[in-house]
Amino acid sequence: MEIKYEYTRKRSEFGRPCSFSDFLAEVTVDIPPDPSLADDFIPQDPVDFAVQEGPVMALHEVNTDRVQVSTQGVNHVEGGWPKHIDPKNSELTTRYREEVEREEVYTRSVQRLGSLVEHYIRQNNTIDIYEEYFEEEEEEDEEEEPPSYKTINVLRDPNQPKRMATRLSWHPDANRAVAVAYCSMEFQDSRKDMCFDSYIWDLEKPYSPELTLKPSSPVVTLEYNSKDWYHVLGGCYNGQIVFWDTRKGGLPVEMTPVEFSHRDPVYGACWLPSRTGTECFSGSTDGQVLWWDIRKMSQPSEKLILDITREDQLKKALGAISLDFAPTMPTKFLVGTEQGIIISCNRDAKSPPEKIANIFSSHIGAVYRVTRNPFFPKVFLSVGDWTARIWTEELMDSSSIMETKYHTPYLLDTCWSPMKPAVFFTSKSDGTLDIWDFLFHQKEPALSIKVSIEPLLSLCVQDNGRIIGCSTRMGTVFLLEISSGFCTLRKNEKTLTSSMFERETRREKVLQDKYRERLLREQERARARPEEQEDPQEVFKQAQADFLANIKAERRRRGMEDPRE
């Protein structure tokens, strides 16, 4: 018997869910049992039945089209100035403003716009939308990130044998690249397979240099031009000054003739903020500071001999091993010498001896770096022997106002933080980088980083103060990113730093005055006493007796006294 039941539905209703409803049971078919089939029945024991209670699931997958993402940005710079005016040079911008203010068009424009601007100013001042209604409630300071660092990149000298990375210079355009000078400074290094090349590295492609600079002699120092980003200035080991245009490749565009160049390696070369952006000056251990114009490098435009006796004699000159120039003080510069003396020079002086303005007896050994504070130009930092010291030009022929503790290894380089006035960095000969915050602690560094086992020769920090470049004796450059606490200016930090420098300056002045008074009193006592001739033998015996007595007292204090004595 075939049993079936048909469900009919319109074509338009296909696919729609069925709608069932409850109704009373009814018998549709009645099949009576057939006894004849009982003989054919075979019972099965046991009988298993499987019932699945779970619902039937369906799995669907969809693959969407990938969205193409592009990163774009806009770099805003100060504009509106003529081409020959550098917006970063305050002297040129001030002079140009004064010229514009003298014109009649400027006066008429100000008078015409003055009433309109005054109307809107009064309208804005009617209601103070920025009024603080709860000034008495102090804002809770956010928890500062603990001092930390991380290594974000490592640049290695691609040549063999390895050379020293003697100088770093960041690209002025958002620090996207770094120029590294490679040179062997070891005495009488006569390796014939030594390479002379220096490199410019792109930070996004750290495995190979972006541009290879090919000088005629190894480069000791490199410096980017802040006005013309594609101009690079270099000082060579043989005393020549070299100029590159990175748009034209790695070969020098111009270089100074050997007979008019320095006679020793050029340890410092700086660009000057001139109208044309083509002037620079250099310093060397031959005792000379020379001024150049890259448009005519056949001979120096000006010369200064670093003779502190002011006799202008080259044989008495001190060797320059570091230079510092700040655009905020366009006529002054600092020179660190091999003899441990810092010379403050003024280019606008009438005669060469007058250009040596002040002399600071700073360190026992060579002054490896001297640099001005970016917030307080009269305050500068020097590093040499085992300490880093802070000086001020307000105290002439005086000692430093602040200094770090004496370290066991030598200090080789230093630089200020461009974001915080009391933070500076020092590198040591044991491969350690110290970060100091004198507002926080003056005896110990805020953070000490073991960068390498090789001495750290050069430091250079980016404009944001977050990334520091450290170069080693084996030509490796480490790029370190420090925590935000070292590059975020706190509230009133600049005022507190200024007060700290002023306090230490006053303290040093008081000590200096007391020292002079004591010298005067001793001179007066010496004049009042009759002249007595001291016997040198008696003086020696007395000093020897005092020395032995001190040694015996110290041994007794330590419990080391010999019972036989």
Side-chain angles (χ1 to χ4, degrees), residues 262-268 282-289 304-308 313-323 334-343 365-370:
H262 294 280
R263 287 159 176 77
D264 279 351
V266 180
Y267 285 93
S282 59
S284 171
T285 49
D286 63 353
Q288 297 182 98
V289 176
L304 173 63
I305 296 177
L306 300 174
D307 182 8
I308 59 176
Q313 296 185 12
L314 188 59
K315 63 181 181 180
K316 296 183 180 180
L318 305 181
I321 202 170
S322 58
L323 284 182
L334 297 172
V335 181
T337 65
E338 289 181 306
Q339 292 76 13
I341 294 175
I342 300 174
I343 304 175
V367 182
Y368 291 110
R369 179 59 61 88
V370 56

Side-chain angles (χ1 to χ4, degrees), residues 28 61 101 128 303 325 330 344 346 360 393 421 431 473 505 510:
T28 57
E61 295 182 358
E101 290 174 358
D128 185 8
K303 180 188 297 186
F325 175 80
S344 176
N346 187 357
F360 302 88
E393 290 187 343
R473 186 183 182 88
T505 302
V510 171

Side-chain angles (χ1 to χ4, degrees), residues 274-413:
S274 60
R275 177 175 296 184
T276 59
T278 58
E279 296 182 9
C280 58
F281 74 108
S282 59
S284 171
T285 49
D286 63 353
Q288 297 182 98
V289 176
L290 304 179
W291 281 264
W292 308 89
D293 193 323
I294 61 174
R295 297 173 298 181
K296 183 183 178 183
M297 301 185 72
S298 58
Q299 60 183 3
S301 58
E302 196 174 341
K303 180 188 297 186
L304 173 63
I305 296 177
L306 300 174
D307 182 8
I308 59 176
T309 62
R310 294 178 172 83
E311 297 178 4
D312 203 25
Q313 296 185 12
L314 188 59
K315 63 181 181 180
K316 296 183 180 180
L318 305 181
I321 202 170
S322 58
L323 284 182
D324 179 75
F325 175 80
T328 54
M329 306 180 75
T331 62
K332 294 184 178 182
F333 61 94
L334 297 172
V335 181
T337 65
E338 289 181 306
Q339 292 76 13
I341 294 175
I342 300 174
I343 304 175
S344 176
C345 303
N346 187 357
R347 187 185 180 186
D348 284 353
K350 297 180 180 179
S351 61
E354 293 178 357
K355 291 183 179 181
I356 299 178
N358 302 316
I359 299 172
F360 302 88
S361 299
S362 55
H363 296 275
I364 299 174
V367 182
Y368 291 110
R369 179 59 61 88
V370 56
T371 174
R372 292 187 184 273
N373 190 299
F375 296 87
F376 309 102
K378 291 187 177 181
V379 177
F380 59 92
L381 173 69
S382 68
V383 69
D385 51 57
W386 305 275
T387 60
R389 301 185 179 185
I390 298 177
W391 310 76
T392 177
E393 290 187 343
E394 296 179 1
L395 293 178
M396 308 302 179
D397 301 329
S398 178
S399 60
S400 58
I401 59 174
M402 304 179 77
E403 63 182 32
T404 64
K405 66 177 183 179
Y406 276 81
H407 298 80
T408 302
Y410 282 101
L411 271 66
L412 300 178
D413 201 2

Side-chain angles (χ1 to χ4, degrees), residues 89 236 273 352 361 388 428:
N89 191 334
C236 297
S361 299
K428 296 187 292 188

